[in-house]
Structures are given as structure tokens and as C-alpha cells.
Amino acid sequence: MNQAPRVTVWNEFRHEKTDDSVREVYPDGIHEAIAAPLRERGFQVRTATLDDPAHGLSSDVLDNTDVLIWWGHVAHDEVTDDTVRAVVNRVWSGMGLIVLHSAHFSKVFKSLMGTSCDLKWREAGERERIWTVDPGHPIAAGVGECIVLDHEEMYGEHFDIPAPDELVFVSWFQGGEVFRSGCAYHRGRGKVFYFRPGHETHPTYRHKDVQRVIENAVLWAGQAAGAVPTYGNHQPEEPLTR
Ligand code: ZN
């Protein structure tokens, strides 16, 4: 893709309306905190939220989205199955998807993974060290060997996902758990990246390295896909003679 990928940041946008401690951290919503640094870097970014008509993800919006970023937590079940189907089909067709933090339990991620996507968790505001385990991966570009977040929610293994096609980051937590926190997948012509940090009461999306990882993931997931495959009965390309 010669042009920068067009990005849509989707946020459930519920905590910020009901919880003062979240609004203090993200007064304009988590989606704006994710969108702002991408806009500063020159990306064309729109935002969409659960309570928008069609969850803000009309066919027109999806037609003009190269990479969709997804944050959700308490209202996964309110996302309509039609929207989930539309997003999954777009990924298979080549749209990139970046799944953040508690969106491990989103319908779109679970549909694409085919597993429970369950994990251990603890809200203690403890230290997280996100180690780069694939330093040659484009999503790790420009990021230090280890990103330290002083206060985050813990997610621990076992994380019930299919083995990632590429594992880019592994997290360690102060309480002793570890977690596969940067997982890259190919699904059809599309690419999916799960990135763990981003609990709503911590300013994680203002951390420069976290922003850099998301930007890198947008570039990786937004790369142009190859030819559209044809499926089904197929005539021989060459004569079937002996
Ligand atoms: Zn959380």
C-alpha cells in the first residue's frame, strides 16, 4: 500500500461515561487517546463507538477502513452478530484488525480465534514488563527491549488462544505471572494483532512505546494483501494429459 492505511478506532465507550476514575484518565474517551497520536503521525483516522448507529461500522465505513482497532470490555454482548459477521468477513478479505486489552473477549476476536480466549486477571495496579521476544518483527520496530508500565492490570497465562503465527511480546507482572501480550495472526487475506496493555483506569495509551507499537501494528496489518483467491471447483490450468 503506497498510502498510509486508513484507520478506524472502535471503542465501546461506556466506562468513560459512567466511571469518574476512567473519565479522569481518558476525558475524551479511550478511542480519542488511541486516535490522537496516529493522527499526529499523519494517518487518516476516524472513530466509532458502540452506541453510534450500526455501532459506527456501516458498510461505507468498513469499505474505507484498512485497519480497525478494537477496544471493548463490559458490553461485548451488545455488539450485534451482523456487525461481528461483517467485521470477520472484512478481515478474511484483507482488512487489518488490532485487538486491544479486554477486547480479548470481544465477539470479533473470539470468532476469529475459535477458542474461549479466557485468561487470569487481577486489578492491583502492579508493574508490567513487556519484553520483545521477536526483535526483527516490524511491530517491534523502534521499541525498547522492554516496555515498563508502572501500573497495569495483570493478565496471566494460560491465555486460551491458538498458538500465534508470530509472538512479538511477552509480559511479566510483579505478582509473578507471565502472558503472551503481542500475538500476530493471519486470517484469510487479513492480519490480526492482539496487544494486551490498556486497562481503562491507567494512562497506558499515553505511553510513547505503547503508541509506537500500535502505530507499527497499523502499518503491519494495513499492508496490501495478495490476489483474491477463487475457491470451489477449479478447472485445470494445464492439460491433464500423461
Ligand atoms: Zn482491564
Side-chain angles (χ1 to χ4, degrees):
M1 189 171 298
N2 293 325
Q3 287 182 322
R6 299 161 299 173
V7 181
T8 298
V9 180
W10 190 90
N11 178 21
E12 180 181 278
F13 198 30
R14 288 285 173 82
H15 287 295
E16 300 94 321
K17 293 175 180 166
T18 57
D19 189 334
D20 287 343
S21 63
V22 178
R23 196 164 33 228
E24 263 172 41
V25 180
Y26 295 115
D28 301 317
I30 289 171
H31 50 296
E32 289 299 335
I34 294 167
L38 292 171
R39 289 195 183 111
E40 277 170 26
R41 300 282 291 173
F43 291 87
Q44 186 185 318
V45 185
R46 70 172 91 207
T47 60
T49 68
L50 180 65
D51 293 327
D52 294 340
H55 307 320
L57 297 174
S58 64
S59 329
D60 183 53
V61 169
L62 291 173
D63 280 345
N64 290 287
T65 298
D66 299 310
V67 179
L68 178 62
I69 299 177
W70 195 280
W71 197 101
H73 182 215
V74 288
H76 297 311
D77 287 347
E78 292 182 43
V79 178
T80 66
D81 290 340
D82 282 350
T83 298
V84 174
R85 245 188 316 273
V87 169
V88 167
N89 282 328
R90 298 285 172 150
V91 171
W92 289 345
S93 302
M95 182 181 76
L97 178 69
I98 298 170
V99 176
L100 297 173
H101 189 59
S102 41
H104 70 91
F105 259 168
S106 62
K107 287 185 188 175
V108 290
F109 188 60
K110 290 193 337 189
S111 298
L112 286 160
M113 295 297 108
T115 56
S116 75
C117 299
D118 213 342
L119 46 75
K120 291 183 179 66
W121 60 274
R122 174 175 61 240
E123 289 182 35
E126 65 205 86
R127 190 177 324 120
E128 174 178 11
R129 289 181 172 274
I130 304 171
W131 287 94
T132 300
V133 295
D134 186 354
H137 199 284
I139 294 180
V143 175
E145 192 176 8
C146 178
I147 303 170
V148 180
L149 301 175
D150 289 330
H151 304 287
E152 250 298 349
E153 180 182 9
M154 182 282 292
Y155 279 5
E157 297 281 346
H158 176 240
F159 184 18
D160 186 24
I161 47 170
D165 296 323
E166 294 142 25
L167 179 62
V168 186
F169 301 109
V170 168
S171 286
W172 165 94
F173 292 89
Q174 214 170 342
E177 294 84 359
V178 295
F179 191 76
R180 288 168 289 171
S181 54
C183 303
Y185 296 91
H186 295 260
R187 288 292 182 271
R189 294 172 76 239
K191 294 181 189 165
V192 178
F193 185 64
Y194 174 78
F195 190 42
R196 193 218 77 84
H199 188 64
E200 65 273 7
T201 57
H202 303 300
T204 298
Y205 294 122
R206 304 201 192 288
H207 192 290
K208 289 292 171 207
D209 280 348
V210 170
Q211 293 175 352
R212 179 68 192 263
V213 169
I214 293 172
E215 180 190 340
N216 289 344
V218 164
L219 291 168
W220 172 81
Q223 280 173 350
V228 178
T230 51
Y231 296 109
N233 183 269
H234 193 71
Q235 295 305 305
E237 302 287 342
E238 300 193 23
L240 298 175
T241 50
R242 297 185 181 215

